[in-house]
Amino acid sequence: DTAVSQTPKYLVTQMGNDKSIKCEQNLGHDTMYWYKQDSKKFLKIMFSYNNKELIINETVPNRFSPKSPDKAHLNLHINSLELGDSAVYFCASSQTNRAGNTIYFGEGSWLTVV
Amino acid sequence: AQTVTQSQPEMSVQEAETVTLSCTYDTSESDYYLFWYKQPPSRQMILVIRQEAYKQQNATENRFSVNFQKAAKSFSLKISDSQLGDAAMYFCAYRSALGNDMRFGAGTRLTVKP
């Protein structure tokens, strides 16, 4: 029944590997996001999709590629992982013009690159 | 770009007492939303309270209330009757009514002493 669910929750992988994090929301929202939280706990937006269309693409290495097959899903694929990619990645969603556009977060995916 | 500043990296409070967390923001817009999120050690981002900028009345949710000073661009969070479960990182966030993302402050770590 989780509103925003992301998998896997924990991921340990070696440098150079390619990995994906999946996200699904069952809230019927039209906008989805990926945020990155680094070791200093700073939260920074990476991407935002509205109705499957990319609307925010912050300065993120092109090794990161989001994919939105439909409004309810936004997956994050990362190529050639680097040590600095270690972080917690949060998927989130919101509905335009409802509840102050409140963003609802998933539980986070802890990525560790070794 | 809008910025959100939380000037208190750490705060502590005695159980059952009251604590206030500070937040200021910078914007040239008149219509926006402000939020406080709580992040316990599990890293889940939990919405605590939301304030619409067009509302003069301060938002309240049980033991949590805000002091919204629009002219001063200040948005502090007051936690009354603090409980051990309130211990967490607290993030202040700003969202433009027209924008598609949420900007976060650096967070305040709250410790509750028994």
Side-chain angles (χ1 to χ4, degrees):
Chain A
D1 282 65
T2 305
V4 182
S5 59
Q6 47 184 115
T7 56
K9 184 164 184 178
Y10 300 98
L11 184 56
V12 180
T13 188
Q14 290 188 327
M15 277 174 47
N17 284 350
D18 303 339
K19 291 294 176 187
S20 292
I21 306 173
K22 295 184 177 181
C23 179
E24 176 182 5
Q25 55 95 4
N26 63 6
L27 296 167
H29 288 169
D30 62 1
T31 306
M32 295 186 72
Y33 312 81
W34 278 107
Y35 278 84
K36 178 181 179 180
Q37 187 175 41
D38 59 25
S39 57
K40 294 183 179 177
K41 304 289 179 71
F42 189 67
L43 268 160
K44 187 170 167 44
I45 191 164
M46 300 174 68
F47 303 103
S48 175
Y49 272 72
N50 178 268
N51 287 316
K52 299 190 341 179
E53 197 172 317
L54 181 66
I55 53 173
I56 291 178
N57 184 358
E58 292 288 305
T59 307
V60 175
N62 57 16
R63 297 182 295 103
F64 290 79
S65 53
K67 284 191 171 48
S68 182
D70 55 57
K71 275 174 40 173
H73 296 83
L74 180 61
N75 304 322
L76 183 66
H77 188 76
I78 316 170
N79 289 327
S80 304
L81 278 156
E82 300 177 357
L83 293 176
D85 297 333
S86 296
V88 182
Y89 292 85
F90 286 95
C91 179
S93 72
S94 68
Q95 176 61 36
T96 305
N97 296 325
R98 185 189 300 167
N101 293 0
T102 300
I103 291 181
Y104 296 90
F105 287 84
E107 294 184 339
S109 294
W110 300 53
L111 172 65
T112 302
V113 182
V114 296
Chain B
Q2 298 84 12
T3 57
V4 180
T5 302
Q6 293 180 247
S7 59
Q8 307 153 316
E10 296 186 359
M11 290 283 284
S12 68
V13 63
Q14 206 69 35
E15 193 176 6
E17 294 189 347
T18 296
V19 65
T20 298
L21 309 184
S22 301
C23 174
T24 58
Y25 56 95
D26 183 29
T27 185
S28 58
E29 298 175 334
S30 60
D31 196 10
Y32 51 86
Y33 304 92
L34 297 164
F35 305 82
W36 278 97
Y37 281 86
K38 170 185 176 181
Q39 188 178 45
S42 67
R43 294 281 192 126
Q44 174 78 45
M45 292 288 288
I46 302 166
L47 176 68
V48 175
I49 201 164
R50 178 182 67 240
Q51 174 80 43
E52 291 87 348
Y54 62 84
K55 289 187 178 177
Q56 291 187 337
Q57 187 173 7
N58 289 323
T60 299
E61 288 286 343
N62 300 314
R63 297 181 296 106
F64 298 87
S65 62
V66 298
N67 184 3
F68 173 47
Q69 301 289 328
K70 191 171 184 179
K73 297 179 184 175
S74 169
F75 182 61
S76 60
L77 175 70
K78 185 171 87 169
I79 307 174
S80 305
D81 186 23
S82 297
Q83 300 175 359
L84 295 177
D86 295 335
M89 283 286 286
Y90 285 82
F91 292 95
C92 178
Y94 169 102
R95 178 160 192 166
S96 166
L98 301 173
N100 291 299
D101 74 339
M102 190 175 284
R103 303 285 171 171
F104 288 85
T108 297
R109 180 178 301 282
L110 178 66
T111 303
V112 181
K113 298 177 181 177

